[in-house]
Amino acid sequence: MLLALLLGLQVLLADRARLAADPQWRPLLLQACGVLRCSLPDWREPGAFTMVERSVRPGQAPGTLRVDATFRNDARWAQPWPLLQLSLADADGRTTGSGVFAPEQYLGEAPEGLLAPGQSAQVTFVVQEPAPGTVAFSFRFH
């Protein structure tokens, strides 16, 4: 019986990275790794980030846009700062530009720690306007 229990524990620990991505297994693995002093990969759920406020307006320098955004981590666990994709479009809905920004780019420095559940973040950064007539924008988290 003891050998079967140890074998099960070994399988659980050996496959913990994959199992930790499953919301049903993660609480058990968090407890087990707390006792056994093992580590789990950070929780990643880009769909759990919610955009609370956003705006894109002309920047101070010609040909630039100022991006202001506030987003929140609605996941059950803390997770790393997301990659933020900004897409710009003209009046006809054609994409005029798109870029993916790392946390270092939209924060101005590397973030310390993870975003806790329910934690909001406010970011501001400046981008080059890809073409005159940009009137629409959208955000996605990766």
Side-chain angles (χ1 to χ4, degrees), residues 114-134:
L114 304 174
L115 280 171
Q119 181 181 354
S120 292
Q122 185 175 6
V123 299
T124 299
F125 57 104
V126 176
V127 297
Q128 291 293 323
E129 185 173 16
T134 299

mmCIF file with all atom_site columns, all heavy atoms in Angstrom, residues 114-134:
data_model
loop_
_atom_site.group_PDB
_atom_site.id
_atom_site.type_symbol
_atom_site.label_atom_id
_atom_site.label_alt_id
_atom_site.label_comp_id
_atom_site.label_asym_id
_atom_site.label_entity_id
_atom_site.label_seq_id
_atom_site.pdbx_PDB_ins_code
_atom_site.Cartn_x
_atom_site.Cartn_y
_atom_site.Cartn_z
_atom_site.occupancy
_atom_site.B_iso_or_equiv
_atom_site.pdbx_formal_charge
_atom_site.auth_seq_id
_atom_site.auth_comp_id
_atom_site.auth_asym_id
_atom_site.auth_atom_id
_atom_site.pdbx_PDB_model_num
ATOM 1   N N   . LEU A 1 114 ? 4.103  38.858 -9.668  1.00 0.00 ? 114 LEU A N   1
ATOM 2   C CA  . LEU A 1 114 ? 2.956  38.480 -10.480 1.00 0.00 ? 114 LEU A CA  1
ATOM 3   C C   . LEU A 1 114 ? 1.782  39.401 -10.176 1.00 0.00 ? 114 LEU A C   1
ATOM 4   O O   . LEU A 1 114 ? 1.785  40.117 -9.174  1.00 0.00 ? 114 LEU A O   1
ATOM 5   C CB  . LEU A 1 114 ? 2.556  37.035 -10.159 1.00 0.00 ? 114 LEU A CB  1
ATOM 6   C CG  . LEU A 1 114 ? 3.641  35.965 -10.319 1.00 0.00 ? 114 LEU A CG  1
ATOM 7   C CD1 . LEU A 1 114 ? 3.131  34.616 -9.820  1.00 0.00 ? 114 LEU A CD1 1
ATOM 8   C CD2 . LEU A 1 114 ? 4.086  35.861 -11.758 1.00 0.00 ? 114 LEU A CD2 1
ATOM 9   N N   . LEU A 1 115 ? 0.781  39.364 -11.045 1.00 0.00 ? 115 LEU A N   1
ATOM 10  C CA  . LEU A 1 115 ? -0.463 40.088 -10.781 1.00 0.00 ? 115 LEU A CA  1
ATOM 11  C C   . LEU A 1 115 ? -1.367 39.177 -9.951  1.00 0.00 ? 115 LEU A C   1
ATOM 12  O O   . LEU A 1 115 ? -1.734 38.087 -10.387 1.00 0.00 ? 115 LEU A O   1
ATOM 13  C CB  . LEU A 1 115 ? -1.166 40.453 -12.087 1.00 0.00 ? 115 LEU A CB  1
ATOM 14  C CG  . LEU A 1 115 ? -0.645 41.670 -12.810 1.00 0.00 ? 115 LEU A CG  1
ATOM 15  C CD1 . LEU A 1 115 ? -1.285 41.780 -14.188 1.00 0.00 ? 115 LEU A CD1 1
ATOM 16  C CD2 . LEU A 1 115 ? -0.935 42.925 -12.018 1.00 0.00 ? 115 LEU A CD2 1
ATOM 17  N N   . ALA A 1 116 ? -1.736 39.616 -8.769  1.00 0.00 ? 116 ALA A N   1
ATOM 18  C CA  . ALA A 1 116 ? -2.570 38.830 -7.867  1.00 0.00 ? 116 ALA A CA  1
ATOM 19  C C   . ALA A 1 116 ? -4.001 38.757 -8.401  1.00 0.00 ? 116 ALA A C   1
ATOM 20  O O   . ALA A 1 116 ? -4.423 39.612 -9.189  1.00 0.00 ? 116 ALA A O   1
ATOM 21  C CB  . ALA A 1 116 ? -2.556 39.461 -6.480  1.00 0.00 ? 116 ALA A CB  1
ATOM 22  N N   . PRO A 1 117 ? -4.763 37.759 -7.975  1.00 0.00 ? 117 PRO A N   1
ATOM 23  C CA  . PRO A 1 117 ? -6.175 37.711 -8.379  1.00 0.00 ? 117 PRO A CA  1
ATOM 24  C C   . PRO A 1 117 ? -6.891 38.993 -7.946  1.00 0.00 ? 117 PRO A C   1
ATOM 25  O O   . PRO A 1 117 ? -6.748 39.446 -6.816  1.00 0.00 ? 117 PRO A O   1
ATOM 26  C CB  . PRO A 1 117 ? -6.725 36.504 -7.610  1.00 0.00 ? 117 PRO A CB  1
ATOM 27  C CG  . PRO A 1 117 ? -5.527 35.670 -7.304  1.00 0.00 ? 117 PRO A CG  1
ATOM 28  C CD  . PRO A 1 117 ? -4.384 36.636 -7.129  1.00 0.00 ? 117 PRO A CD  1
ATOM 29  N N   . GLY A 1 118 ? -7.608 39.603 -8.866  1.00 0.00 ? 118 GLY A N   1
ATOM 30  C CA  . GLY A 1 118 ? -8.334 40.832 -8.583  1.00 0.00 ? 118 GLY A CA  1
ATOM 31  C C   . GLY A 1 118 ? -7.503 42.091 -8.675  1.00 0.00 ? 118 GLY A C   1
ATOM 32  O O   . GLY A 1 118 ? -8.040 43.196 -8.600  1.00 0.00 ? 118 GLY A O   1
ATOM 33  N N   . GLN A 1 119 ? -6.194 41.968 -8.849  1.00 0.00 ? 119 GLN A N   1
ATOM 34  C CA  . GLN A 1 119 ? -5.324 43.141 -8.924  1.00 0.00 ? 119 GLN A CA  1
ATOM 35  C C   . GLN A 1 119 ? -5.483 43.833 -10.271 1.00 0.00 ? 119 GLN A C   1
ATOM 36  O O   . GLN A 1 119 ? -5.541 43.193 -11.308 1.00 0.00 ? 119 GLN A O   1
ATOM 37  C CB  . GLN A 1 119 ? -3.868 42.743 -8.721  1.00 0.00 ? 119 GLN A CB  1
ATOM 38  C CG  . GLN A 1 119 ? -2.902 43.925 -8.761  1.00 0.00 ? 119 GLN A CG  1
ATOM 39  C CD  . GLN A 1 119 ? -1.449 43.499 -8.575  1.00 0.00 ? 119 GLN A CD  1
ATOM 40  O OE1 . GLN A 1 119 ? -1.151 42.344 -8.301  1.00 0.00 ? 119 GLN A OE1 1
ATOM 41  N NE2 . GLN A 1 119 ? -0.554 44.448 -8.727  1.00 0.00 ? 119 GLN A NE2 1
ATOM 42  N N   . SER A 1 120 ? -5.545 45.169 -10.233 1.00 0.00 ? 120 SER A N   1
ATOM 43  C CA  . SER A 1 120 ? -5.623 45.971 -11.450 1.00 0.00 ? 120 SER A CA  1
ATOM 44  C C   . SER A 1 120 ? -4.265 46.601 -11.724 1.00 0.00 ? 120 SER A C   1
ATOM 45  O O   . SER A 1 120 ? -3.472 46.812 -10.815 1.00 0.00 ? 120 SER A O   1
ATOM 46  C CB  . SER A 1 120 ? -6.664 47.079 -11.297 1.00 0.00 ? 120 SER A CB  1
ATOM 47  O OG  . SER A 1 120 ? -7.952 46.528 -11.221 1.00 0.00 ? 120 SER A OG  1
ATOM 48  N N   . ALA A 1 121 ? -4.040 46.917 -12.976 1.00 0.00 ? 121 ALA A N   1
ATOM 49  C CA  . ALA A 1 121 ? -2.808 47.581 -13.390 1.00 0.00 ? 121 ALA A CA  1
ATOM 50  C C   . ALA A 1 121 ? -3.168 48.686 -14.360 1.00 0.00 ? 121 ALA A C   1
ATOM 51  O O   . ALA A 1 121 ? -4.006 48.497 -15.245 1.00 0.00 ? 121 ALA A O   1
ATOM 52  C CB  . ALA A 1 121 ? -1.867 46.586 -14.049 1.00 0.00 ? 121 ALA A CB  1
ATOM 53  N N   . GLN A 1 122 ? -2.560 49.835 -14.178 1.00 0.00 ? 122 GLN A N   1
ATOM 54  C CA  . GLN A 1 122 ? -2.759 50.966 -15.077 1.00 0.00 ? 122 GLN A CA  1
ATOM 55  C C   . GLN A 1 122 ? -1.457 51.188 -15.837 1.00 0.00 ? 122 GLN A C   1
ATOM 56  O O   . GLN A 1 122 ? -0.392 51.278 -15.230 1.00 0.00 ? 122 GLN A O   1
ATOM 57  C CB  . GLN A 1 122 ? -3.130 52.213 -14.294 1.00 0.00 ? 122 GLN A CB  1
ATOM 58  C CG  . GLN A 1 122 ? -3.466 53.388 -15.171 1.00 0.00 ? 122 GLN A CG  1
ATOM 59  C CD  . GLN A 1 122 ? -3.958 54.576 -14.346 1.00 0.00 ? 122 GLN A CD  1
ATOM 60  O OE1 . GLN A 1 122 ? -3.937 54.563 -13.132 1.00 0.00 ? 122 GLN A OE1 1
ATOM 61  N NE2 . GLN A 1 122 ? -4.396 55.599 -15.042 1.00 0.00 ? 122 GLN A NE2 1
ATOM 62  N N   . VAL A 1 123 ? -1.551 51.251 -17.168 1.00 0.00 ? 123 VAL A N   1
ATOM 63  C CA  . VAL A 1 123 ? -0.359 51.419 -17.989 1.00 0.00 ? 123 VAL A CA  1
ATOM 64  C C   . VAL A 1 123 ? -0.552 52.563 -18.971 1.00 0.00 ? 123 VAL A C   1
ATOM 65  O O   . VAL A 1 123 ? -1.677 52.861 -19.389 1.00 0.00 ? 123 VAL A O   1
ATOM 66  C CB  . VAL A 1 123 ? -0.004 50.117 -18.762 1.00 0.00 ? 123 VAL A CB  1
ATOM 67  C CG1 . VAL A 1 123 ? 0.277  48.984 -17.796 1.00 0.00 ? 123 VAL A CG1 1
ATOM 68  C CG2 . VAL A 1 123 ? -1.094 49.710 -19.726 1.00 0.00 ? 123 VAL A CG2 1
ATOM 69  N N   . THR A 1 124 ? 0.546  53.205 -19.310 1.00 0.00 ? 124 THR A N   1
ATOM 70  C CA  . THR A 1 124 ? 0.566  54.277 -20.305 1.00 0.00 ? 124 THR A CA  1
ATOM 71  C C   . THR A 1 124 ? 1.839  54.116 -21.120 1.00 0.00 ? 124 THR A C   1
ATOM 72  O O   . THR A 1 124 ? 2.912  53.926 -20.554 1.00 0.00 ? 124 THR A O   1
ATOM 73  C CB  . THR A 1 124 ? 0.564  55.664 -19.626 1.00 0.00 ? 124 THR A CB  1
ATOM 74  O OG1 . THR A 1 124 ? -0.625 55.791 -18.849 1.00 0.00 ? 124 THR A OG1 1
ATOM 75  C CG2 . THR A 1 124 ? 0.626  56.772 -20.648 1.00 0.00 ? 124 THR A CG2 1
ATOM 76  N N   . PHE A 1 125 ? 1.693  54.150 -22.436 1.00 0.00 ? 125 PHE A N   1
ATOM 77  C CA  . PHE A 1 125 ? 2.877  54.107 -23.291 1.00 0.00 ? 125 PHE A CA  1
ATOM 78  C C   . PHE A 1 125 ? 2.568  54.821 -24.599 1.00 0.00 ? 125 PHE A C   1
ATOM 79  O O   . PHE A 1 125 ? 1.419  55.110 -24.913 1.00 0.00 ? 125 PHE A O   1
ATOM 80  C CB  . PHE A 1 125 ? 3.386  52.676 -23.513 1.00 0.00 ? 125 PHE A CB  1
ATOM 81  C CG  . PHE A 1 125 ? 2.384  51.712 -24.097 1.00 0.00 ? 125 PHE A CG  1
ATOM 82  C CD1 . PHE A 1 125 ? 2.453  51.348 -25.422 1.00 0.00 ? 125 PHE A CD1 1
ATOM 83  C CD2 . PHE A 1 125 ? 1.399  51.149 -23.302 1.00 0.00 ? 125 PHE A CD2 1
ATOM 84  C CE1 . PHE A 1 125 ? 1.549  50.450 -25.964 1.00 0.00 ? 125 PHE A CE1 1
ATOM 85  C CE2 . PHE A 1 125 ? 0.493  50.248 -23.830 1.00 0.00 ? 125 PHE A CE2 1
ATOM 86  C CZ  . PHE A 1 125 ? 0.561  49.899 -25.162 1.00 0.00 ? 125 PHE A CZ  1
ATOM 87  N N   . VAL A 1 126 ? 3.606  55.147 -25.339 1.00 0.00 ? 126 VAL A N   1
ATOM 88  C CA  . VAL A 1 126 ? 3.481  55.905 -26.586 1.00 0.00 ? 126 VAL A CA  1
ATOM 89  C C   . VAL A 1 126 ? 3.919  55.014 -27.743 1.00 0.00 ? 126 VAL A C   1
ATOM 90  O O   . VAL A 1 126 ? 4.921  54.305 -27.645 1.00 0.00 ? 126 VAL A O   1
ATOM 91  C CB  . VAL A 1 126 ? 4.348  57.191 -26.530 1.00 0.00 ? 126 VAL A CB  1
ATOM 92  C CG1 . VAL A 1 126 ? 4.300  57.944 -27.849 1.00 0.00 ? 126 VAL A CG1 1
ATOM 93  C CG2 . VAL A 1 126 ? 3.887  58.077 -25.385 1.00 0.00 ? 126 VAL A CG2 1
ATOM 94  N N   . VAL A 1 127 ? 3.148  55.057 -28.829 1.00 0.00 ? 127 VAL A N   1
ATOM 95  C CA  . VAL A 1 127 ? 3.482  54.291 -30.039 1.00 0.00 ? 127 VAL A CA  1
ATOM 96  C C   . VAL A 1 127 ? 3.463  55.234 -31.238 1.00 0.00 ? 127 VAL A C   1
ATOM 97  O O   . VAL A 1 127 ? 2.843  56.300 -31.196 1.00 0.00 ? 127 VAL A O   1
ATOM 98  C CB  . VAL A 1 127 ? 2.496  53.122 -30.280 1.00 0.00 ? 127 VAL A CB  1
ATOM 99  C CG1 . VAL A 1 127 ? 2.556  52.120 -29.151 1.00 0.00 ? 127 VAL A CG1 1
ATOM 100 C CG2 . VAL A 1 127 ? 1.078  53.612 -30.475 1.00 0.00 ? 127 VAL A CG2 1
ATOM 101 N N   . GLN A 1 128 ? 4.127  54.823 -32.298 1.00 0.00 ? 128 GLN A N   1
ATOM 102 C CA  . GLN A 1 128 ? 4.096  55.574 -33.548 1.00 0.00 ? 128 GLN A CA  1
ATOM 103 C C   . GLN A 1 128 ? 2.761  55.307 -34.235 1.00 0.00 ? 128 GLN A C   1
ATOM 104 O O   . GLN A 1 128 ? 2.325  54.169 -34.333 1.00 0.00 ? 128 GLN A O   1
ATOM 105 C CB  . GLN A 1 128 ? 5.236  55.135 -34.481 1.00 0.00 ? 128 GLN A CB  1
ATOM 106 C CG  . GLN A 1 128 ? 6.608  55.528 -34.010 1.00 0.00 ? 128 GLN A CG  1
ATOM 107 C CD  . GLN A 1 128 ? 6.798  57.043 -34.045 1.00 0.00 ? 128 GLN A CD  1
ATOM 108 O OE1 . GLN A 1 128 ? 6.328  57.727 -34.930 1.00 0.00 ? 128 GLN A OE1 1
ATOM 109 N NE2 . GLN A 1 128 ? 7.499  57.550 -33.046 1.00 0.00 ? 128 GLN A NE2 1
ATOM 110 N N   . GLU A 1 129 ? 2.117  56.363 -34.718 1.00 0.00 ? 129 GLU A N   1
ATOM 111 C CA  . GLU A 1 129 ? 0.872  56.191 -35.469 1.00 0.00 ? 129 GLU A CA  1
ATOM 112 C C   . GLU A 1 129 ? 1.228  55.572 -36.819 1.00 0.00 ? 129 GLU A C   1
ATOM 113 O O   . GLU A 1 129 ? 2.039  56.129 -37.563 1.00 0.00 ? 129 GLU A O   1
ATOM 114 C CB  . GLU A 1 129 ? 0.172  57.535 -35.663 1.00 0.00 ? 129 GLU A CB  1
ATOM 115 C CG  . GLU A 1 129 ? -1.167 57.417 -36.313 1.00 0.00 ? 129 GLU A CG  1
ATOM 116 C CD  . GLU A 1 129 ? -1.919 58.737 -36.352 1.00 0.00 ? 129 GLU A CD  1
ATOM 117 O OE1 . GLU A 1 129 ? -1.296 59.793 -36.145 1.00 0.00 ? 129 GLU A OE1 1
ATOM 118 O OE2 . GLU A 1 129 ? -3.127 58.704 -36.607 1.00 0.00 ? 129 GLU A OE2 1
ATOM 119 N N   . PRO A 1 130 ? 0.655  54.412 -37.156 1.00 0.00 ? 130 PRO A N   1
ATOM 120 C CA  . PRO A 1 130 ? 1.059  53.737 -38.394 1.00 0.00 ? 130 PRO A CA  1
ATOM 121 C C   . PRO A 1 130 ? 0.632  54.474 -39.656 1.00 0.00 ? 130 PRO A C   1
ATOM 122 O O   . PRO A 1 130 ? 1.318  54.405 -40.664 1.00 0.00 ? 130 PRO A O   1
ATOM 123 C CB  . PRO A 1 130 ? 0.380  52.374 -38.302 1.00 0.00 ? 130 PRO A CB  1
ATOM 124 C CG  . PRO A 1 130 ? -0.739 52.559 -37.340 1.00 0.00 ? 130 PRO A CG  1
ATOM 125 C CD  . PRO A 1 130 ? -0.346 53.666 -36.423 1.00 0.00 ? 130 PRO A CD  1
ATOM 126 N N   . ALA A 1 131 ? -0.505 55.156 -39.602 1.00 0.00 ? 131 ALA A N   1
ATOM 127 C CA  . ALA A 1 131 ? -0.998 55.889 -40.775 1.00 0.00 ? 131 ALA A CA  1
ATOM 128 C C   . ALA A 1 131 ? -1.971 56.955 -40.299 1.00 0.00 ? 131 ALA A C   1
ATOM 129 O O   . ALA A 1 131 ? -2.672 56.756 -39.311 1.00 0.00 ? 131 ALA A O   1
ATOM 130 C CB  . ALA A 1 131 ? -1.702 54.927 -41.734 1.00 0.00 ? 131 ALA A CB  1
ATOM 131 N N   . PRO A 1 132 ? -2.030 58.068 -41.006 1.00 0.00 ? 132 PRO A N   1
ATOM 132 C CA  . PRO A 1 132 ? -3.029 59.069 -40.642 1.00 0.00 ? 132 PRO A CA  1
ATOM 133 C C   . PRO A 1 132 ? -4.430 58.474 -40.801 1.00 0.00 ? 132 PRO A C   1
ATOM 134 O O   . PRO A 1 132 ? -4.655 57.612 -41.637 1.00 0.00 ? 132 PRO A O   1
ATOM 135 C CB  . PRO A 1 132 ? -2.806 60.198 -41.648 1.00 0.00 ? 132 PRO A CB  1
ATOM 136 C CG  . PRO A 1 132 ? -1.475 59.933 -42.267 1.00 0.00 ? 132 PRO A CG  1
ATOM 137 C CD  . PRO A 1 132 ? -1.206 58.474 -42.130 1.00 0.00 ? 132 PRO A CD  1
ATOM 138 N N   . GLY A 1 133 ? -5.346 58.913 -39.988 1.00 0.00 ? 133 GLY A N   1
ATOM 139 C CA  . GLY A 1 133 ? -6.716 58.421 -40.110 1.00 0.00 ? 133 GLY A CA  1
ATOM 140 C C   . GLY A 1 133 ? -7.010 57.216 -39.235 1.00 0.00 ? 133 GLY A C   1
ATOM 141 O O   . GLY A 1 133 ? -8.032 56.557 -39.429 1.00 0.00 ? 133 GLY A O   1
ATOM 142 N N   . THR A 1 134 ? -6.147 56.929 -38.311 1.00 0.00 ? 134 THR A N   1
ATOM 143 C CA  . THR A 1 134 ? -6.422 55.838 -37.382 1.00 0.00 ? 134 THR A CA  1
ATOM 144 C C   . THR A 1 134 ? -7.546 56.278 -36.462 1.00 0.00 ? 134 THR A C   1
ATOM 145 O O   . THR A 1 134 ? -7.449 57.307 -35.794 1.00 0.00 ? 134 THR A O   1
ATOM 146 C CB  . THR A 1 134 ? -5.162 55.495 -36.555 1.00 0.00 ? 134 THR A CB  1
ATOM 147 O OG1 . THR A 1 134 ? -4.138 55.070 -37.459 1.00 0.00 ? 134 THR A OG1 1
ATOM 148 C CG2 . THR A 1 134 ? -5.436 54.408 -35.554 1.00 0.00 ? 134 THR A CG2 1
#
